[in-house]
Amino acid sequence: MTRREAAPSPDSSTRRSLAGLAARSALAALIAFVAFILAAVMLLLVPTSASAQLVPPEKTEPRQPTLPSLRDQEIAQCLPGEIRTWGDGRDRPIATRALRFAYRHEAAPPWFSEAQVLTLVRQSAQAWSACGLRLDVIAVPRGQVPPEDAIQVLWSDAGSRGQFALANVTARSLSISPGLFALLRERNPKYPADRTLQMVLSHEMGHFLGLMAHSRRCVDTMSYYDNGKGERCALRDPKSWGSVIEYRSMLPTACDIDRCKALNAPR
C-alpha cells in the first residue's frame, strides 16, 4: 500500500493573501446588498408612474375647527339681562333715520393715510347700520367745507379734550386726537394703532345714534372699564380679564346693536 504524500501547508504570506481575498469578497457582497436595499427604498419613496400605484396615499387628519373664544361669543351674542349701563347718561332716539359723516384728513398723523382712516370710518358706519339706520361716509377734499348736514370727523386735540376721540353731538363733530395717537406710537410703536382708532371711531359714532350712557359690559364698544369709584365693567368670566390688551370690541357688539335697535325702532 502506497502512503499518500501529505499536501504541503501554506506559508504565512499565502494565508494572509487568502484571508484578504475573502474579506474583500465579503465587503463587496455587503456593499451590493446595501445598494439593493437603498434602491428598493428609493423606489417606494419616489412616486413614479408605476410605484405611485403601490404606495398608499398618506392619511391626513381633518383639522378641527377653531372654537370661538369667550370674548368672541360675547361680541356675537347678547344674552337676556346683559344690556346694562353705568347710568352716566340718558339715551335718546335720533330725529332722523339717516346720518352722513364727512371725514377731513387735515392734521392727521403722517403714518395714517387718508384711505386707511376713511376705510375705518366706513367700517364703523357699516357695522352700526345693522341697527336699522342709514349711515353714509364721504371724504372732504383738502381746503373744502363739508356739507352743513354732515357730522364732521376730523383730527383736533382741542376738540378731543384730552381723549383719544370725542363726540360733540351739539356741534356735530367727532374729533380725534393726533397728540394722543402720537403718544401711543411713541410708547408702544409695535402696537397696531389702527385697532384703537377703529374702536374709538365706533364708540363715538354710537353717541350720534343716541347711545349716551356707557355700557357696563367690558366687551361692548360703548363701554368703559370702570366708573372711577372702584367698580369695574362686567365679564361673563372674570378670568377673561387681561386675556387681550384691549378687551373692548373694535366694532359694535350684539348688545350694542340691540340697544340701538330698541332705542331707534320706528314708532
Side-chain angles (χ1 to χ4, degrees), residues 123-238:
Q123 287 177 172
S124 293
Q126 182 179 6
W128 275 116
S129 66
C131 80
L133 302 174
R134 177 179 173 180
L135 306 180
D136 296 322
V137 177
I138 62 172
V140 180
R142 186 178 296 272
Q144 293 192 18
V145 178
E148 290 186 5
D149 65 333
I151 298 166
Q152 291 191 62
V153 181
L154 69 159
W155 294 86
S156 169
D157 283 323
S160 58
R161 300 178 188 176
Q163 306 294 322
F164 274 98
L166 184 69
N168 188 328
V169 177
T170 303
R172 298 179 68 79
S173 64
L174 194 169
S175 300
I176 314 165
S177 171
L180 285 182
F181 274 94
L183 184 62
L184 175 63
R185 182 181 175 88
E186 176 186 338
R187 292 185 176 180
N188 195 352
K190 294 183 179 180
Y191 182 76
D194 57 334
R195 295 187 178 186
T196 299
L197 181 54
Q198 182 79 83
M199 186 269 291
V200 297
L201 285 169
S202 297
H203 180 102
E204 302 305 328
M205 200 172 284
H207 289 315
F208 286 100
L209 307 185
L211 304 179
M212 307 309 295
H214 291 90
S215 171
R216 291 195 67 159
R217 280 207 330 160
C218 300
V219 76
D220 289 341
T221 197
M222 294 308 299
S223 76
Y224 57 74
Y225 291 141
D226 64 74
N227 64 353
K229 301 177 183 178
E231 296 180 275
R232 198 166 69 180
C233 56
L235 295 161
R236 289 184 185 174
D237 181 1

Side-chain angles (χ1 to χ4, degrees), residues 234-249:
L235 295 161
R236 289 184 185 174
D237 181 1
K239 295 179 183 178
S240 299
W241 185 257
S243 59
V244 292
I245 295 176
E246 178 67 77
Y247 201 86
R248 186 167 27 202
S249 174

Side-chain angles (χ1 to χ4, degrees), residues 36-184:
F36 173 79
I37 295 298
L38 290 175
V41 171
M42 291 301 295
L43 186 62
L44 290 175
L45 293 180
V46 178
T48 62
S49 59
S51 64
Q53 299 177 8
L54 301 176
V55 181
E58 291 184 5
K59 293 182 179 180
T60 57
E61 294 294 331
R63 291 186 178 181
Q64 296 296 327
T66 303
L67 296 176
S69 67
L70 182 59
R71 178 176 176 271
D72 292 335
Q73 295 176 36
E74 288 183 278
I75 291 173
Q77 64 177 178
C78 187
L79 299 179
E82 284 193 322
I83 295 181
R84 297 172 57 208
T85 71
W86 288 102
D88 58 334
R90 183 177 178 181
D91 293 351
R92 53 180 182 269
I94 60 176
T96 178
R97 300 197 62 77
L99 293 176
R100 180 160 55 162
F101 293 86
Y103 174 61
R104 297 173 56 186
H105 194 62
E106 293 97 327
W111 53 88
F112 282 128
S113 70
E114 181 173 4
Q116 180 185 17
V117 181
L118 191 60
T119 296
L120 296 177
V121 177
R122 285 175 172 155
Q123 287 177 172
S124 293
Q126 182 179 6
W128 275 116
S129 66
C131 80
L133 302 174
R134 177 179 173 180
L135 306 180
D136 296 322
V137 177
I138 62 172
V140 180
R142 186 178 296 272
Q144 293 192 18
V145 178
E148 290 186 5
D149 65 333
I151 298 166
Q152 291 191 62
V153 181
L154 69 159
W155 294 86
S156 169
D157 283 323
S160 58
R161 300 178 188 176
Q163 306 294 322
F164 274 98
L166 184 69
N168 188 328
V169 177
T170 303
R172 298 179 68 79
S173 64
L174 194 169
S175 300
I176 314 165
S177 171
L180 285 182
F181 274 94
L183 184 62
L184 175 63

